Coordinates of all heavy atoms in Angstrom, one line a residue:
M108 N 28.4 88.4 131.7 CA 29.4 87.8 130.8 C 30.2 88.8 130.0 O 29.5 89.6 129.3 CB 28.6 86.8 129.8 CG 28.3 85.5 130.4 SD 27.6 84.4 129.2 CE 25.9 85.1 129.2
P109 N 31.5 88.7 130.1 CA 32.2 89.7 129.2 C 32.3 89.2 127.8 O 32.0 88.1 127.5 CB 33.6 89.6 129.9 CG 33.7 88.2 130.5 CD 32.3 87.8 130.8
D110 N 32.7 90.2 126.9 CA 32.9 89.8 125.5 C 34.0 88.8 125.4 O 35.0 88.9 126.2 CB 33.2 91.0 124.7 CG 32.0 92.0 124.5 OD1 31.0 91.6 125.0 OD2 32.2 93.0 123.9
V111 N 33.9 87.9 124.5 CA 35.0 86.9 124.3 C 35.6 87.1 122.9 O 34.9 87.4 122.0 CB 34.4 85.4 124.4 CG1 35.5 84.4 124.5 CG2 33.4 85.3 125.5
E112 N 36.9 86.9 122.9 CA 37.6 86.9 121.6 C 37.8 85.5 121.1 O 38.3 84.6 121.8 CB 38.9 87.6 121.7 CG 38.8 89.1 121.7 CD 40.2 89.7 121.5 OE1 41.2 89.1 121.7 OE2 40.2 90.9 121.2
I113 N 37.3 85.2 119.9 CA 37.4 83.9 119.3 C 38.2 84.0 118.0 O 38.1 85.0 117.3 CB 36.0 83.3 119.0 CG1 35.2 83.2 120.3 CG2 36.2 81.9 118.4 CD1 33.8 82.7 120.2
T114 N 39.1 83.0 117.8 CA 39.8 83.0 116.5 C 39.0 82.2 115.5 O 38.6 81.0 115.7 CB 41.2 82.3 116.7 OG1 41.8 82.9 117.8 CG2 42.0 82.4 115.4
C115 N 38.7 82.8 114.4 CA 37.9 82.2 113.3 C 38.6 81.1 112.7 O 39.8 81.2 112.4 CB 37.6 83.3 112.3 SG 36.8 82.6 110.8
I116 N 37.9 79.9 112.6 CA 38.6 78.7 112.1 C 38.8 78.8 110.6 O 39.6 78.1 110.0 CB 37.9 77.4 112.4 CG1 36.4 77.4 111.8 CG2 37.8 77.1 113.9 CD1 35.8 76.1 111.7
Q117 N 38.2 79.8 110.0 CA 38.3 79.9 108.5 C 39.3 80.9 108.1 O 40.2 80.5 107.4 CB 36.9 80.2 107.9 CG 36.8 79.9 106.5 CD 35.4 79.8 106.0 OE1 34.5 79.6 106.8 NE2 35.1 80.0 104.8
C118 N 39.2 82.1 108.6 CA 40.2 83.1 108.2 C 41.3 83.4 109.2 O 42.2 84.2 109.0 CB 39.5 84.4 107.8 SG 38.6 85.2 109.1
K119 N 41.2 82.7 110.4 CA 42.1 82.9 111.5 C 42.2 84.3 112.1 O 43.1 84.6 112.8 CB 43.5 82.4 111.0 CG 43.6 81.1 110.3 CD 43.4 79.9 111.2 CE 43.6 78.6 110.4 NZ 42.6 77.7 110.6
E120 N 41.2 85.1 111.8 CA 41.1 86.4 112.4 C 40.4 86.3 113.7 O 39.5 85.5 113.9 CB 40.3 87.3 111.5 CG 40.9 87.6 110.1 CD 42.0 88.7 110.2 OE1 42.0 89.5 111.2 OE2 42.7 88.9 109.2
M121 N 40.8 87.2 114.7 CA 40.1 87.3 115.9 C 38.8 88.0 115.7 O 38.8 89.0 115.0 CB 41.0 88.0 117.0 CG 42.2 87.2 117.3 SD 41.9 86.0 118.6 CE 42.5 86.8 120.0
F122 N 37.8 87.6 116.3 CA 36.5 88.3 116.3 C 35.9 88.3 117.7 O 36.2 87.5 118.5 CB 35.6 87.8 115.3 CG 35.0 86.4 115.5 CD1 33.8 86.3 116.1 CD2 35.7 85.3 115.2 CE1 33.3 85.0 116.4 CE2 35.2 84.0 115.4 CZ 34.0 83.9 116.0
I123 N 35.1 89.3 117.9 CA 34.4 89.5 119.2 C 33.1 88.7 119.3 O 32.2 89.0 118.4 CB 34.2 91.0 119.5 CG1 35.5 91.8 119.5 CG2 33.5 91.1 120.9 CD1 36.5 91.5 120.6
F124 N 33.0 87.9 120.2 CA 31.7 87.2 120.5 C 31.1 88.0 121.6 O 31.4 87.8 122.8 CB 32.0 85.8 120.9 CG 30.7 84.9 121.0 CD1 29.6 85.1 120.3 CD2 30.7 83.8 121.9 CE1 28.5 84.3 120.4 CE2 29.6 83.0 122.1 CZ 28.5 83.3 121.3
S125 N 30.2 88.9 121.3 CA 29.8 89.9 122.2 C 28.8 89.3 123.3 O 28.3 88.2 123.1 CB 29.1 91.1 121.5 OG 27.8 90.6 121.0
E126 N 28.7 90.0 124.4 CA 27.8 89.6 125.4 C 26.4 89.3 124.9 O 25.8 88.3 125.3 CB 27.8 90.7 126.5 CG 27.5 90.2 127.9 CD 27.5 91.4 128.9 OE1 28.4 92.3 128.7 OE2 26.7 91.4 129.7
Q127 N 25.9 90.2 124.1 CA 24.6 90.1 123.6 C 24.4 88.8 122.8 O 23.5 88.1 122.9 CB 24.3 91.3 122.6 CG 23.5 92.4 123.3 CD 23.2 93.4 122.2 OE1 23.8 93.5 121.2 NE2 22.2 94.2 122.5
E128 N 25.5 88.6 121.9 CA 25.4 87.4 121.1 C 25.5 86.1 121.9 O 24.8 85.1 121.7 CB 26.6 87.4 120.1 CG 26.3 88.3 118.9 CD 27.5 88.3 117.9 OE1 28.6 88.6 118.4 OE2 27.3 88.0 116.8
Q129 N 26.4 86.2 122.9 CA 26.5 85.0 123.8 C 25.1 84.6 124.4 O 24.8 83.5 124.5 CB 27.5 85.3 124.9 CG 28.9 85.3 124.5 CD 29.8 85.8 125.6 OE1 29.8 85.2 126.7 NE2 30.6 86.8 125.4
E130 N 24.4 85.7 124.9 CA 23.1 85.4 125.5 C 22.2 84.7 124.5 O 21.5 83.7 124.8 CB 22.5 86.7 125.9 CG 22.3 86.8 127.4 CD 22.0 88.2 127.9 OE1 20.9 88.7 127.5 OE2 22.9 88.8 128.6
K131 N 22.2 85.2 123.3 CA 21.3 84.7 122.2 C 21.7 83.2 122.0 O 20.8 82.3 121.9 CB 21.6 85.4 120.9 CG 20.4 86.3 120.5 CD 20.5 86.7 119.1 CE 21.3 88.0 118.9 NZ 21.6 88.3 117.5
F132 N 23.0 82.9 121.9 CA 23.4 81.6 121.7 C 23.1 80.6 122.8 O 22.6 79.5 122.6 CB 25.0 81.6 121.4 CG 25.3 81.8 120.0 CD1 25.1 83.0 119.4 CD2 25.8 80.7 119.3 CE1 25.5 83.2 118.0 CE2 26.2 80.9 117.9 CZ 26.0 82.1 117.3
Y133 N 23.3 81.1 124.0 CA 23.1 80.3 125.2 C 21.6 80.0 125.4 O 21.2 78.9 125.8 CB 23.7 80.8 126.5 CG 25.2 80.8 126.4 CD1 26.0 81.9 126.7 CD2 25.8 79.5 126.2 CE1 27.4 81.8 126.6 CE2 27.2 79.4 126.1 CZ 28.0 80.6 126.4 OH 29.3 80.5 126.3
Q134 N 20.8 81.0 125.0 CA 19.3 80.8 125.1 C 18.9 79.7 124.2 O 17.9 78.9 124.5 CB 18.6 82.1 124.8 CG 18.4 83.0 126.0 CD 17.9 84.3 125.6 OE1 17.5 84.6 124.4 NE2 17.9 85.3 126.5
R135 N 19.5 79.6 123.0 CA 19.1 78.6 122.1 C 19.9 77.3 122.2 O 19.9 76.4 121.4 CB 19.4 79.1 120.7 CG 18.4 80.2 120.3 CD 18.7 80.7 118.9 NE 18.1 82.0 118.7 CZ 18.3 82.8 117.6 NH1 19.1 82.3 116.7 NH2 17.7 83.9 117.5
N136 N 20.8 77.3 123.3 CA 21.6 76.1 123.6 C 22.5 75.8 122.4 O 22.8 74.6 122.1 CB 20.6 74.9 123.8 CG 20.8 74.3 125.2 OD1 21.8 74.6 125.8 ND2 19.8 73.6 125.6
M137 N 23.1 76.8 121.8 CA 24.0 76.6 120.7 C 25.4 76.8 121.2 O 25.7 77.4 122.2 CB 23.7 77.7 119.6 CG 22.5 77.4 118.8 SD 21.9 78.9 118.0 CE 23.0 79.0 116.6
M138 N 26.3 76.1 120.5 CA 27.8 76.2 120.8 C 28.2 77.6 120.3 O 27.6 78.2 119.5 CB 28.5 75.2 120.0 CG 28.1 73.8 120.2 SD 29.4 72.9 121.2 CE 30.8 72.9 120.0
S139 N 29.3 78.1 120.9 CA 29.8 79.4 120.5 C 30.3 79.3 119.1 O 30.7 78.2 118.6 CB 30.9 79.8 121.4 OG 31.7 78.8 121.8
P140 N 30.2 80.3 118.3 CA 30.5 80.3 116.9 C 32.0 80.0 116.7 O 32.8 80.4 117.5 CB 30.1 81.7 116.4 CG 30.2 82.5 117.6 CD 29.8 81.7 118.7
Q141 N 32.3 79.4 115.6 CA 33.7 79.1 115.2 C 34.2 80.0 114.1 O 35.4 80.0 113.8 CB 33.8 77.6 114.8 CG 33.5 76.7 115.9 CD 33.7 75.2 115.5 OE1 33.0 74.8 114.6 NE2 34.7 74.5 116.1
R142 N 33.2 80.6 113.5 CA 33.6 81.5 112.4 C 33.2 83.0 112.7 O 32.2 83.2 113.4 CB 32.9 81.1 111.1 CG 33.5 79.8 110.5 CD 32.7 79.4 109.3 NE 33.2 78.2 108.7 CZ 32.9 77.0 109.2 NH1 32.0 76.9 110.2 NH2 33.4 75.9 108.6
C143 N 33.9 83.9 112.2 CA 33.6 85.3 112.4 C 32.4 85.6 111.6 O 32.0 84.9 110.7 CB 34.8 86.2 112.0 SG 35.1 86.2 110.2
A144 N 31.8 86.8 111.8 CA 30.5 87.1 111.2 C 30.7 87.2 109.7 O 29.8 86.9 108.9 CB 30.1 88.5 111.7
Q145 N 31.9 87.7 109.3 CA 32.2 87.8 107.8 C 32.2 86.5 107.1 O 31.6 86.3 106.1 CB 33.6 88.4 107.7 CG 33.5 89.9 107.2 CD 34.9 90.3 106.8 OE1 35.9 89.9 107.4 NE2 35.0 91.3 105.9
C146 N 32.9 85.5 107.7 CA 32.9 84.2 107.1 C 31.5 83.5 107.2 O 31.1 82.8 106.3 CB 33.9 83.3 107.8 SG 35.6 83.8 107.5
R147 N 30.8 83.8 108.2 CA 29.5 83.2 108.3 C 28.6 83.8 107.2 O 27.8 83.1 106.6 CB 28.8 83.5 109.7 CG 29.1 82.4 110.7 CD 28.5 82.7 112.0 NE 29.3 83.6 112.8 CZ 28.9 84.3 113.8 NH1 27.7 84.4 114.1 NH2 29.8 85.1 114.5
S148 N 28.7 85.1 107.0 CA 27.9 85.7 105.9 C 28.3 85.3 104.5 O 27.5 85.2 103.6 CB 27.8 87.2 106.1 OG 29.1 87.8 105.8
K149 N 29.6 85.0 104.4 CA 30.2 84.5 103.1 C 29.5 83.2 102.8 O 29.2 82.9 101.7 CB 31.7 84.4 103.2 CG 32.4 85.5 102.5 CD 33.9 85.2 102.5 CE 34.7 86.4 102.8 NZ 36.1 86.1 103.1
K150 N 29.5 82.3 103.8 CA 28.9 81.0 103.7 C 27.5 81.1 103.3 O 27.0 80.4 102.4 CB 29.0 80.3 105.0 CG 29.2 78.8 105.0 CD 29.3 78.2 106.4 CE 28.7 76.8 106.4 NZ 28.3 76.5 107.8
F151 N 26.8 82.1 103.9 CA 25.4 82.3 103.6 C 25.2 82.8 102.2 O 24.4 82.3 101.4 CB 24.8 83.3 104.6 CG 23.4 83.5 104.5 CD1 22.5 82.5 104.9 CD2 22.9 84.7 104.0 CE1 21.1 82.7 104.8 CE2 21.5 84.9 103.9 CZ 20.6 83.9 104.3
A152 N 26.1 83.7 101.8 CA 26.0 84.2 100.4 C 26.2 83.2 99.4 O 25.6 83.1 98.4 CB 27.0 85.4 100.3
K153 N 27.2 82.3 99.7 CA 27.4 81.2 98.8 C 26.2 80.3 98.6 O 25.9 79.9 97.5 CB 28.6 80.3 99.3 CG 29.8 80.2 98.4 CD 30.8 79.3 98.9 CE 32.1 79.4 98.1 NZ 33.2 78.6 98.7
K154 N 25.5 80.0 99.7 CA 24.3 79.2 99.6 C 23.3 79.8 98.7 O 22.7 79.2 97.8 CB 23.7 79.1 101.0 CG 23.8 77.7 101.6 CD 23.0 77.6 102.8 CE 23.5 76.5 103.8 NZ 22.9 76.7 105.1
N155 N 23.1 81.1 98.8 CA 22.2 81.9 98.0 C 22.6 81.9 96.6 O 21.7 81.8 95.7 CB 22.0 83.3 98.6 CG 20.9 83.3 99.6 OD1 20.3 82.3 99.9 ND2 20.8 84.5 100.2
E156 N 23.9 82.0 96.4 CA 24.4 82.1 95.0 C 24.0 80.9 94.2 O 23.6 81.0 93.1 CB 25.9 82.2 95.1 CG 26.6 83.1 94.1 CD 28.1 83.2 94.4 OE1 28.7 82.2 94.1 OE2 28.5 84.2 95.0
G157 N 24.1 79.8 94.8 CA 23.8 78.5 94.2 C 22.3 78.5 93.7 O 22.1 78.0 92.6
K158 N 21.5 79.1 94.5 CA 20.1 79.1 94.1 C 19.8 80.0 93.0 O 19.0 79.8 92.2 CB 19.3 79.5 95.4 CG 18.7 78.4 96.2 CD 17.9 78.9 97.3 CE 17.8 77.9 98.4 NZ 17.4 78.5 99.7
E159 N 20.6 81.1 93.0 CA 20.3 82.2 92.0 C 20.9 82.0 90.7 O 20.6 82.6 89.7 CB 20.6 83.6 92.6 CG 19.6 84.1 93.5 CD 20.1 85.2 94.4 OE1 21.1 85.8 94.0 OE2 19.5 85.4 95.5
S160 N 22.0 81.1 90.6 CA 22.7 81.0 89.4 C 22.0 80.1 88.4 O 22.7 79.2 87.8 CB 24.1 80.6 89.6 OG 24.2 79.3 90.2
R161 N 20.7 80.2 88.2 CA 20.0 79.5 87.2 C 19.5 80.5 86.2 O 19.0 81.5 86.6 CB 19.0 78.6 87.8 CG 19.5 77.5 88.6 CD 18.5 76.4 89.0 NE 18.1 75.6 87.8 CZ 18.7 74.5 87.4 NH1 19.7 74.1 88.2 NH2 18.4 73.8 86.4
Y162 N 19.6 80.2 85.0 CA 19.1 81.1 84.0 C 17.8 80.6 83.3 O 17.8 79.4 83.0 CB 20.2 81.4 82.9 CG 21.4 81.9 83.5 CD1 22.4 81.1 84.1 CD2 21.6 83.3 83.6 CE1 23.5 81.7 84.7 CE2 22.7 83.9 84.1 CZ 23.7 83.0 84.7 OH 24.8 83.6 85.3
E163 N 16.9 81.5 83.1 CA 15.7 81.1 82.5 C 15.9 81.0 81.0 O 16.5 81.9 80.4 CB 14.6 82.0 82.8 CG 13.2 81.5 82.4 CD 12.1 82.0 83.2 OE1 12.2 82.4 84.3 OE2 11.0 82.1 82.6
I164 N 15.4 79.9 80.4 CA 15.6 79.8 79.0 C 14.2 79.4 78.4 O 13.3 79.0 79.1 CB 16.6 78.7 78.6 CG1 16.3 77.3 79.3 CG2 18.0 79.1 79.0 CD1 16.0 76.2 78.3
V165 N 14.1 79.6 77.1 CA 12.9 79.1 76.4 C 13.5 78.0 75.4 O 14.4 78.3 74.6 CB 12.2 80.2 75.6 CG1 11.0 79.6 74.8 CG2 11.7 81.3 76.5
C166 N 12.9 76.8 75.5 CA 13.5 75.7 74.7 C 13.3 76.0 73.2 O 12.2 76.4 72.8 CB 12.7 74.4 75.1 SG 13.3 73.0 74.1
D167 N 14.4 75.8 72.5 CA 14.4 76.0 71.1 C 13.5 75.0 70.4 O 13.1 75.2 69.2 CB 15.8 75.9 70.5 CG 16.3 77.2 70.1 OD1 15.8 78.2 70.5 OD2 17.2 77.2 69.2
H168 N 13.3 73.9 71.0 CA 12.7 72.7 70.3 C 11.2 72.7 70.6 O 10.4 72.7 69.7 CB 13.3 71.4 70.8 CG 12.8 70.2 70.1 ND1 13.2 69.9 68.8 CD2 12.0 69.2 70.5 CE1 12.6 68.8 68.4 NE2 11.9 68.4 69.4
C169 N 10.8 72.8 71.9 CA 9.4 72.7 72.2 C 8.8 74.0 72.7 O 7.6 74.1 73.0 CB 9.1 71.6 73.2 SG 9.8 71.9 74.8
G170 N 9.6 75.0 73.0 CA 9.1 76.3 73.4 C 8.8 76.4 74.9 O 8.3 77.4 75.4
K171 N 9.1 75.4 75.6 CA 8.9 75.3 77.1 C 9.9 76.2 77.8 O 11.0 76.3 77.4 CB 9.0 73.9 77.5 CG 8.2 73.6 78.8 CD 8.1 72.1 79.1 CE 9.3 71.6 79.9 NZ 9.2 70.2 80.2
H172 N 9.4 76.8 78.9 CA 10.3 77.6 79.8 C 11.0 76.6 80.8 O 10.3 75.8 81.3 CB 9.5 78.6 80.6 CG 9.1 79.8 79.7 ND1 9.7 81.0 79.9 CD2 8.2 79.9 78.7 CE1 9.1 81.9 79.0 NE2 8.2 81.2 78.3
D173 N 12.3 76.8 80.9 CA 13.0 76.0 81.9 C 14.2 76.8 82.4 O 14.4 78.0 82.0 CB 13.5 74.8 81.1 CG 13.8 73.6 82.1 OD1 13.6 73.8 83.3 OD2 14.2 72.5 81.7
T174 N 14.9 76.3 83.4 CA 16.0 77.0 83.9 C 17.2 76.1 83.7 O 17.1 74.8 83.8 CB 15.9 77.3 85.4 OG1 15.6 76.2 86.1 CG2 14.8 78.4 85.6
V175 N 18.4 76.7 83.5 CA 19.6 75.9 83.3 C 20.7 76.5 84.2 O 20.6 77.7 84.6 CB 20.1 76.0 81.8 CG1 19.2 75.2 80.9 CG2 20.3 77.4 81.3
P176 N 21.6 75.7 84.7 CA 22.6 76.2 85.6 C 23.8 77.0 85.0 O 24.7 77.3 85.6 CB 23.1 74.9 86.3 CG 22.9 73.8 85.3 CD 21.7 74.3 84.4
F177 N 23.7 77.2 83.7 CA 24.7 78.0 83.0 C 24.1 79.1 82.2 O 22.9 79.1 81.9 CB 25.5 77.1 82.1 CG 24.7 76.3 81.1 CD1 24.3 76.9 79.9 CD2 24.2 75.1 81.4 CE1 23.5 76.2 79.0 CE2 23.3 74.4 80.5 CZ 23.0 75.0 79.3
Q178 N 24.9 80.1 81.9 CA 24.4 81.2 81.1 C 24.3 80.8 79.6 O 25.3 80.4 79.0 CB 25.3 82.4 81.2 CG 24.7 83.6 80.5 CD 25.2 84.9 81.1 OE1 26.2 85.0 81.8 NE2 24.4 86.0 81.0
P179 N 23.1 80.8 79.0 CA 23.0 80.3 77.6 C 23.8 81.3 76.7 O 23.7 82.5 76.9 CB 21.5 80.4 77.4 CG 20.8 80.7 78.6 CD 21.9 81.2 79.6
K180 N 24.4 80.7 75.7 CA 25.2 81.6 74.8 C 24.2 82.1 73.7 O 23.4 81.4 73.2 CB 26.3 80.7 74.1 CG 27.5 80.5 75.0 CD 28.7 80.1 74.2 CE 29.8 79.8 75.2 NZ 30.3 78.5 75.2
V181 N 24.4 83.4 73.4 CA 23.6 84.0 72.4 C 23.8 83.4 71.1 O 25.0 83.2 70.7 CB 23.9 85.5 72.4 CG1 23.0 86.2 71.3 CG2 23.6 86.2 73.7
G182 N 22.8 83.1 70.4 CA 23.0 82.5 69.0 C 23.1 81.0 69.0 O 23.1 80.4 68.0
R183 N 23.1 80.4 70.2 CA 23.2 78.9 70.3 C 21.8 78.4 70.8 O 21.2 79.0 71.6 CB 24.3 78.5 71.2 CG 25.6 78.5 70.6 CD 26.6 77.7 71.3 NE 26.3 76.3 71.4 CZ 27.0 75.4 72.0 NH1 28.2 75.7 72.6 NH2 26.7 74.1 72.0
S184 N 21.4 77.3 70.3 CA 20.1 76.7 70.7 C 20.2 76.2 72.1 O 21.2 75.7 72.6 CB 19.8 75.5 69.8 OG 20.3 75.6 68.6
V185 N 19.2 76.5 72.9 CA 19.1 76.0 74.2 C 17.8 75.1 74.3 O 16.8 75.4 73.7 CB 19.0 77.1 75.3 CG1 20.3 77.6 75.7 CG2 18.1 78.2 74.9
Y186 N 18.0 74.0 75.0 CA 16.9 73.1 75.1 C 16.5 72.9 76.6 O 17.3 73.1 77.5 CB 17.3 71.7 74.6 CG 17.6 71.8 73.1 CD1 18.9 71.4 72.7 CD2 16.6 72.1 72.2 CE1 19.2 71.5 71.3 CE2 17.0 72.1 70.8 CZ 18.2 71.8 70.4 OH 18.6 71.9 69.1
C187 N 15.2 72.6 76.8 CA 14.8 72.3 78.1 C 15.3 71.0 78.5 O 15.9 70.3 77.7 CB 13.2 72.3 78.2 SG 12.5 71.0 77.3
K188 N 15.2 70.6 79.8 CA 15.8 69.4 80.3 C 15.3 68.2 79.5 O 16.1 67.3 79.1 CB 15.4 69.2 81.8 CG 16.4 68.6 82.6 CD 16.0 68.6 84.1 CE 16.3 67.2 84.7 NZ 15.1 66.7 85.5
D189 N 14.0 68.1 79.2 CA 13.5 67.0 78.5 C 14.1 66.9 77.1 O 14.6 65.8 76.7 CB 12.0 67.1 78.4 CG 11.3 67.0 79.7 OD1 11.9 66.5 80.7 OD2 10.1 67.4 79.8
C190 N 14.1 68.0 76.4 CA 14.6 67.9 75.0 C 16.1 67.7 75.0 O 16.7 67.0 74.2 CB 14.3 69.2 74.3 SG 12.6 69.4 74.0
H191 N 16.8 68.2 76.0 CA 18.2 68.0 76.1 C 18.6 66.6 76.3 O 19.4 66.0 75.7 CB 18.8 68.8 77.3 CG 20.3 68.8 77.4 ND1 21.1 69.4 76.5 CD2 21.1 68.2 78.3 CE1 22.4 69.2 76.9 NE2 22.4 68.4 78.0
E192 N 17.8 65.9 77.2 CA 18.0 64.5 77.5 C 17.7 63.7 76.3 O 18.3 62.7 76.0 CB 17.2 64.1 78.7 CG 18.1 64.1 79.9 CD 17.4 64.0 81.2 OE1 16.3 63.4 81.3 OE2 17.9 64.7 82.2
A193 N 16.6 64.1 75.6 CA 16.2 63.3 74.4 C 17.2 63.4 73.3 O 17.5 62.4 72.7 CB 14.8 63.9 73.9
S194 N 17.8 64.6 73.1 CA 18.8 64.7 72.1 C 20.1 64.0 72.5 O 20.8 63.5 71.7 CB 19.1 66.2 71.8 OG 19.9 66.7 72.9
R195 N 20.4 63.9 73.8 CA 21.5 63.2 74.2 C 21.4 61.7 74.0 O 22.3 61.0 73.6 CB 21.8 63.5 75.7 CG 22.9 64.5 75.9 CD 23.1 64.9 77.3 NE 23.5 63.7 78.1 CZ 23.6 63.7 79.4 NH1 23.5 64.8 80.1 NH2 23.9 62.6 80.1
S196 N 20.2 61.2 74.3 CA 20.0 59.7 74.2 C 20.0 59.4 72.7 O 20.4 58.3 72.3 CB 18.8 59.3 74.9 OG 17.6 60.0 74.5
K197 N 19.5 60.3 71.9 CA 19.5 60.1 70.5 C 20.9 60.0 70.0 O 21.3 59.1 69.2 CB 18.8 61.3 69.8 CG 17.7 60.8 68.8 CD 17.1 62.0 68.0 CE 15.8 62.4 68.5 NZ 15.4 63.7 68.0
A198 N 21.8 60.9 70.4 CA 23.2 60.9 70.0 C 23.8 59.6 70.4 O 24.7 59.1 69.7 CB 23.9 62.1 70.6
R199 N 23.5 59.1 71.6 CA 24.1 57.9 72.1 C 23.7 56.7 71.1 O 24.5 55.9 70.8 CB 23.6 57.6 73.5 CG 24.8 57.1 74.4 CD 24.3 56.8 75.8 NE 23.9 58.0 76.5 CZ 22.9 58.1 77.4 NH1 22.2 57.1 77.6 NH2 22.7 59.2 78.0
V200 N 22.5 56.7 70.7 CA 22.0 55.7 69.8 C 22.7 55.7 68.5 O 23.2 54.7 67.9 CB 20.4 55.7 69.6 CG1 20.0 54.8 68.5 CG2 19.7 55.4 70.9
A201 N 22.9 57.0 68.0 CA 23.5 57.2 66.7 C 25.0 56.7 66.7 O 25.5 56.2 65.7 CB 23.5 58.7 66.3
S202 N 25.7 56.9 67.8 CA 27.1 56.5 67.9 C 27.1 55.1 68.4 O 27.6 54.2 67.9 CB 27.8 57.4 68.9 OG 27.4 57.1 70.2
Ligands
ZN47 ZN1 36.5 84.5 109.5
ZN48 ZN1 12.0 71.3 75.0

């Protein structure tokens, strides 16, 4: 099998689907790739990013360790999920 040139559906760049890769794909009964290796790794990196972008915090209220999806601001109180929800529902009652 010769190397094949494929146009990446994401960045529209041509990339080489090498003989070696083709064999791997056909052995696993997979379709030929639609994205170049770069776009594939970008996609993979994005997936990982989502997992890692959680920040560990110590709740100001109960002292519990928790993670939040945003970077806590220095000098501002951070709450764990439970306390955050409790304070939110309290606020709703107050208003
Ligand atoms: Zn690409
Ligand atoms: Zn708490």
